[in-house]
């Protein structure tokens, strides 16, 4: 879920600052044990998402899925550890996810790729390829929501045909469409002359 053309104030902040702040917030959330403070931070995260001028059509299904998951978490933790602890856990997760949506939706693919490559650059001494690692991470972030969208489309189509309860009827088209997306992506990378091989330094 990455919006390259977002023009909000959040899109003008460098990717490194946004992801660094997101990391700091995520850690801080688990150091806070007062539900009142967590609730206030949740409201801040919602205000941040709204001010980011994102297309909420992209978030409708992810938010519904997130709400369903958190409802299950709330019930299970409520039964096992008490409702106060369950509420605190859900507030933490929900706040972190909304902040993450704000960051990902206002950061372009190219900005993510550049950031991840910088972060992975120290691994070069171990023989790793920072460019390859960065591309893998960026594409994972980019295509996980895309594959989820494809899954729901396939499931709805098969449900309309009366095949919604047949796992093969859903999984086979999903695999085929996923492979098609992967093939199209590979062709696009080849067309751009992307070279994932580590740079070689020759001594004269």
């Amino acid at each position: 879920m990455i919006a390259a053309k977002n023009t909000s104030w959040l899109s003008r902040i460098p990717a490194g600052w946004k992801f660094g702040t997101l990391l700091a917030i995520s850690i801080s959330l688990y150091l806070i044990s007062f539900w009142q403070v967590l609730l206030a931070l949740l409201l801040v995260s919602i205000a941040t998402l709204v001010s980011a001028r994102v297309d909420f059509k992209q978030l409708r299904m992810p938010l519904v899925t997130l709400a369903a998951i958190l409802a299950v978490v709330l019930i299970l933790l409520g039964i096992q550890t008490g409702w106060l602890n369950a509420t605190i856990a859900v507030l933490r997760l929900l706040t972190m996810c909304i902040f993450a949506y704000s960051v990902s939706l206002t950061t372009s693919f190219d900005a993510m790729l550049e950031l991840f490559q910088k972060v992975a650059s120290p691994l070069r001494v171990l023989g790793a390829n920072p460019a390859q690692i960065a591309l893998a991470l960026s594409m994972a972030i980019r295509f996980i929501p895309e594959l989820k969208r494809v899954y729901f489309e396939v499931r709805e189509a098969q449900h309309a045909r009366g095949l919604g309860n047949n796992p093969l009827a859903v999984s086979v088209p999903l695999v085929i469409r996923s492979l098609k997306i992967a093939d199209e992506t590979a062709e696009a990378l080849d067309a751009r002359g992307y070279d994932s091989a580590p740079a070689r330094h020759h001594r004269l």
Side-chain angles (χ1 to χ4, degrees):
M1 295 185 300
I2 300 171
K5 296 183 180 180
N6 188 280
T7 58
S8 69
W9 64 274
L10 197 56
S11 67
R12 295 191 290 270
I13 298 177
W17 283 100
K18 284 190 286 188
F19 277 89
T21 302
L22 178 61
L23 176 61
I25 290 175
S26 300
I27 295 174
S28 300
L29 287 172
Y30 283 88
L31 299 177
I32 299 172
S33 56
F34 298 100
W35 69 267
Q36 297 91 337
V37 178
L38 292 170
L39 179 59
L41 289 174
L42 174 60
L43 296 177
V44 171
S45 70
I46 294 173
T48 301
L49 184 62
V50 172
S51 67
R53 299 177 186 175
V54 300
D55 183 4
F56 281 91
K57 291 180 180 179
Q58 300 179 66
L59 285 173
R60 182 178 58 185
M61 190 57 68
L63 288 178
V64 170
T65 304
L66 178 62
I69 293 174
L70 292 182
V72 174
V73 171
L74 178 65
I75 294 173
L76 293 179
L77 287 181
I79 295 173
Q80 296 175 0
T81 65
W83 296 107
L84 178 58
N85 290 333
T87 300
I88 289 174
V90 168
L91 285 173
R92 286 170 175 163
L93 290 171
L94 183 57
T95 302
M96 184 169 58
C97 288
I98 293 179
F99 273 126
Y101 285 142
S102 299
V103 170
S104 64
L105 285 167
T106 57
T107 307
S108 68
F109 181 85
D110 290 339
M112 279 192 184
L113 187 62
E114 182 179 357
L115 172 63
F116 293 154
Q117 187 167 343
K118 289 180 179 178
V119 172
S121 59
L123 298 177
R124 194 186 301 275
V125 298
L126 301 177
N129 184 352
Q132 195 174 50
I133 295 173
L135 182 64
L137 289 173
S138 300
M139 292 184 68
I141 293 175
R142 172 63 181 86
F143 287 108
I144 287 174
E146 180 70 14
L147 292 177
K148 181 186 290 187
R149 181 188 65 80
V150 171
Y151 166 74
F152 283 115
E153 288 181 356
V154 171
R155 189 182 67 173
E156 290 177 3
Q158 299 300 67
H159 182 75
R161 296 184 177 93
L163 301 173
N165 295 325
N166 188 338
L168 287 177
V170 175
S171 59
V172 172
L174 177 63
V175 170
I176 293 174
R177 291 185 61 176
S178 300
L179 291 175
K180 182 179 179 181
I181 291 174
D183 187 56
E184 292 174 349
T185 303
E187 290 179 357
L189 291 174
D190 288 339
R192 288 167 174 78
Y194 179 79
D195 184 8
S196 62
R200 296 179 180 178
H201 301 280
H202 300 282
R203 293 183 179 178
L204 297 176

